[in-house]
Amino acid sequence: MIKKYRTGDEVQGPFLEGITPEIEKSAEGAEGSQVRFEKERAGLTAHTKVGDIGISKSKTKSYNPGNPELKQSDTRINYSKNFELGESGNLNVYGSKGTSKSEYSGYGDSKKSQGTFSVGARYTHKFN
């Protein structure tokens, strides 16, 4: 049986605890400046009993008068898991793998592509 879920629907199951769709579109620039950044991002995060697993794709454009336009795109898969350690400690383990591409407009072969990989852990402790 195939189930279709819309944004905001809750998903429950023995393994899957929920799904969070993420859509972002933004533009920013400094006041009085002609420099502008535009960003588009879409992703999906599955919240499971073994951690959060997400996929995302983003595109960023940078405009600066007198300079070529910079376009960047990023595609990645992410994982994170939060562990509570006692009453005041938290350990977050995370990692991601993907590809990153950049291109300057107006230049011949200016496309650059590289694989990305990161892994880490963050401990937080609340002091009373």
Side-chain angles (χ1 to χ4, degrees), residues 87-103:
E87 292 182 19
S88 56
N90 243 336
L91 177 65
N92 183 269
V93 178
Y94 56 90
S96 71
K97 171 115 176 80
T99 58
S100 179
K101 297 177 185 177
S102 61
E103 171 186 5

Side-chain angles (χ1 to χ4, degrees), residues 72-122:
Q72 295 176 301
S73 65
D74 193 42
T75 304
R76 67 181 59 237
I77 185 165
N78 303 303
Y79 172 80
S80 69
K81 174 73 175 167
N82 194 48
F83 299 94
E84 290 187 23
L85 304 174
E87 292 182 19
S88 56
N90 243 336
L91 177 65
N92 183 269
V93 178
Y94 56 90
S96 71
K97 171 115 176 80
T99 58
S100 179
K101 297 177 185 177
S102 61
E103 171 186 5
Y104 280 103
S105 64
Y107 286 93
D109 187 20
S110 66
K111 294 182 181 181
K112 302 287 183 202
S113 181
Q114 66 182 20
T116 60
F117 177 80
S118 68
V119 64
R122 183 178 304 122

Side-chain angles (χ1 to χ4, degrees), residues 29-47:
E31 189 173 325
S33 172
Q34 295 178 3
V35 177
R36 191 173 81 241
F37 301 96
E38 293 179 1
K39 182 177 182 177
E40 295 180 17
R41 182 179 171 278
L44 189 67
T45 301
H47 307 283

Side-chain angles (χ1 to χ4, degrees), residues 16-33:
L16 187 62
E17 297 176 343
I19 294 177
T20 305
E22 302 157 339
I23 298 174
E24 173 187 356
K25 188 170 185 175
S26 63
E28 52 182 90
E31 189 173 325
S33 172

